[in-house]
Amino acid sequence: MFGPKGISWPKRGYGTYLSLRIYVYDVGEVEGLEELLKGRDHNIEYTDCIQGQWGTQVKIHKFFSKSAFRTFDKNEADFFFVPTYVKCVRMKGGLSDKEIDQKFVQVLQQMPYFRLSGGRDHIFVFSSGAGAHLFKQWATYLNRSIFLTPEGDRTDKRGTSAFNTWKDIIIPGNVDNEIIFERFGAHDIINPVPLARRKYLANFLGRPQGKVGRLQLLELAKQFPNELEAPLLTFSGSMKYGHKEYFRHLSNAKFCLAPRGESSWTLRFYEAFFAECVPVIVSDKIELPFQNVLDYTLFSIKWPATRINEELLQYLRSIPDQDIERMIAQGRAVRCLWLYLLKVDGCSAMTGILWELQRKVRIFHQSGETFWLHNRSLVDRDLVVFSQWRTPFSLP
């Protein structure tokens, strides 16, 4: 069972080795799918979408496409992966919200296997803070499908969360490849400062976004400027940090604060492991990946968002350096699970995702539109056998 040293996925519910078969829909296989990947004019390339929050949509798609677990036979598939880059496409003006809804519906109407299972064995990646809400009708059409998402809560704006702990999988956020490769390559540009020489006790390096917790941290930094670094960062100009400068600042504190922003998760939590500062979560409703095998008390701190004041700094001051070093070392051991690598012969985010998917494998699927007869044939409500179902379907 692949994982960080000393960590393995439990046998119960998982098996002792990975044995998945995943069907990946081709871009030209389903009408409308290409637009969800490339926009209405088909001019957005995957290289345009591999960086930033939404990069996991591309990385997971590329992994499944090249993986030994891919099958081209739908009848033997455990799961069906539906590739979309909708967050990226929307951000780059490739599709409007209305067009995204229309294309999703168009695609789903042409998938017999989706109708057969009610979508229970179909996988979608929603990799940004908006989660599945990018498809406004997700609750009607995708409410049984498996979401791979870093987002566990979005009730601040949406009134309901698209994440369901019983069917979905929380995945790590996307730390940009260039940072990872430089960190572990020859350049090693963000080599952490030794603990005793770090300038700050803690830092918060993010835009306030008008969020109460973030604004409170900025005010706290004004009161304790020698202990808490929290500059007012912007999207452009002198107060916009490039990647290298950002990581140099991040690694110059013992603790890296990760408060809630537009949504409950924040990429800063994952970046802290590579800057080698102890991540301090200040987001009460956050969901974290791979909780079946990871004990987050070993390498992180979660602090109540209602107590962002001097008490937080007093607590952080009280932690001995030897405990900080221990937590950083524990984090160093598990951070490989945040990396999206095109291999499963070791520790990576994809290894963790595959194990979590394996736990969800079913030998049988059915839906409100699926029936079966004594001879084991699957039929629709008009008793038409599955092999003769014709698209497009009218969606329930």
Side-chain angles (χ1 to χ4, degrees):
M1 296 186 183
F2 301 122
K5 185 177 180 181
I7 295 177
S8 63
W9 264 255
K11 291 182 180 179
R12 185 187 304 169
Y14 291 91
T16 56
Y17 63 93
L18 288 169
S19 58
L20 293 170
R21 307 303 290 163
I22 301 172
Y23 183 88
V24 181
Y25 285 100
D26 281 327
V27 175
E29 181 179 352
V30 181
E31 188 176 353
L33 189 58
E34 187 170 12
E35 284 76 13
L36 291 175
L37 290 157
K38 299 183 177 182
R40 71 180 75 83
D41 299 322
H42 302 172
N43 61 350
I44 297 174
E45 299 296 331
Y46 81 88
T47 50
D48 299 324
C49 299
I50 202 167
Q51 303 295 332
Q53 286 187 5
W54 51 74
T56 47
Q57 290 188 316
V58 178
K59 292 178 180 180
I60 294 173
H61 179 204
K62 295 303 177 185
F63 173 85
F64 283 148
S65 296
K66 298 177 182 296
S67 171
F69 299 100
R70 183 178 186 180
T71 179
F72 293 89
D73 182 353
K74 293 178 181 177
N75 290 317
E76 73 170 18
D78 297 310
F79 296 106
F80 296 80
F81 180 74
V82 185
T84 72
Y85 305 159
V86 288
K87 174 63 175 179
C88 174
V89 167
R90 180 179 180 270
M91 292 294 289
K92 294 184 179 299
L95 289 176
S96 65
D97 290 348
K98 182 178 180 180
E99 289 172 317
I100 289 173
D101 265 30
Q102 291 171 341
K103 290 301 174 184
F104 260 110
V105 171
Q106 181 185 13
V107 165
L108 297 177
Q109 287 177 326
Q110 299 173 77
M111 291 182 169
Y113 284 84
F114 183 91
R115 188 176 183 84
L116 184 70
S117 68
R120 289 171 175 84
D121 52 3
H122 279 59
I123 303 167
F124 297 82
V125 181
F126 293 104
S127 56
S128 72
H133 291 284
L134 286 167
F135 174 32
K136 296 186 183 302
Q137 299 181 77
W138 71 266
T140 301
Y141 299 124
L142 301 183
N143 59 2
R144 294 177 178 85
S145 297
I146 298 169
F147 298 161
L148 306 183
T149 177
E151 181 52 69
D153 175 72
R154 196 69 202 272
T155 55
D156 58 333
K157 288 187 176 180
R158 311 290 178 175
T160 184
S161 176
F163 173 75
N164 183 314
T165 189
W166 304 113
K167 71 178 183 67
D168 302 328
I169 298 172
I170 291 292
I171 61 174
N174 180 45
V175 181
D176 284 343
N177 283 357
E178 62 185 82
I179 290 296
I180 297 303
F181 293 141
E182 287 184 316
R183 172 69 185 89
F184 296 106
H187 300 296
D188 206 21
I189 54 120
I190 54 170
N191 193 34
V193 178
L195 209 60
R197 289 169 43 202
R198 299 194 185 187
K199 183 176 180 179
Y200 296 100
L201 173 68
N203 61 37
F204 163 58
L205 303 178
R207 290 175 287 274
Q209 298 176 300
K211 303 302 177 182
V212 173
R214 294 183 171 212
L215 292 171
Q216 288 175 329
L217 287 174
L218 265 60
E219 288 302 313
L220 193 60
K222 292 178 182 177
Q223 299 173 44
F224 302 93
N226 295 325
E227 291 187 288
L228 175 59
E229 181 188 24
L232 182 60
L233 297 182
T234 58
F235 281 105
S236 60
S238 60
M239 292 311 295
K240 180 183 185 301
Y241 289 167
H243 280 149
K244 295 179 181 180
E245 187 178 9
Y246 171 78
F247 268 89
R248 288 194 184 105
H249 279 267
L250 204 63
S251 61
N252 203 21
K254 296 178 179 180
F255 301 94
C256 291
L257 307 182
R260 182 187 180 108
E262 288 291 343
S263 56
S264 63
W265 81 282
T266 168
L267 192 60
R268 200 160 294 102
F269 171 78
Y270 302 101
E271 292 169 336
F273 290 84
F274 300 99
E276 298 200 354
C277 51
V278 176
V280 180
I281 302 166
V282 195
S283 178
D284 297 353
K285 295 183 179 181
I286 194 172
E287 296 280 350
L288 297 165
F290 313 137
Q291 293 184 68
N292 290 333
V293 295
L294 295 181
D295 180 352
Y296 281 82
T297 64
L298 293 173
F299 45 77
S300 66
I301 294 168
K302 185 180 180 186
W303 184 263
T306 53
R307 307 182 80 89
I308 301 177
N309 49 42
E310 187 179 354
E311 183 183 12
L312 169 58
L313 296 183
Q314 289 173 344
Y315 166 69
L316 296 179
R317 287 188 208 112
S318 72
I319 301 175
D321 278 1
Q322 62 185 31
D323 288 345
I324 299 173
E325 293 280 15
R326 172 185 53 79
M327 296 181 77
I328 290 173
Q330 293 277 4
R332 194 181 298 127
V334 303
R335 66 187 178 190
C336 51
L337 283 171
W338 313 152
L339 304 179
Y340 286 89
L341 305 176
L342 291 176
K343 62 178 183 178
V344 289
D345 58 348
C347 174
S348 74
M350 289 310 309
T351 304
I353 290 169
L354 287 170
W355 278 109
E356 293 305 312
L357 284 173
Q358 179 147 302
R359 194 183 189 195
K360 298 179 181 296
V361 171
R362 297 181 178 186
I363 193 172
F364 184 72
H365 286 283
Q366 62 92 27
S367 73
E369 302 300 317
T370 307
F371 306 85
W372 54 93
L373 305 179
H374 77 286
N375 59 1
R376 303 185 65 205
S377 58
L378 299 173
V379 299
D380 64 13
R381 62 181 60 255
D382 294 320
L383 304 185
V384 177
V385 296
F386 175 65
S387 62
Q388 296 178 18
W389 289 8
R390 297 292 176 258
T391 59
F393 303 111
S394 59
L395 295 177

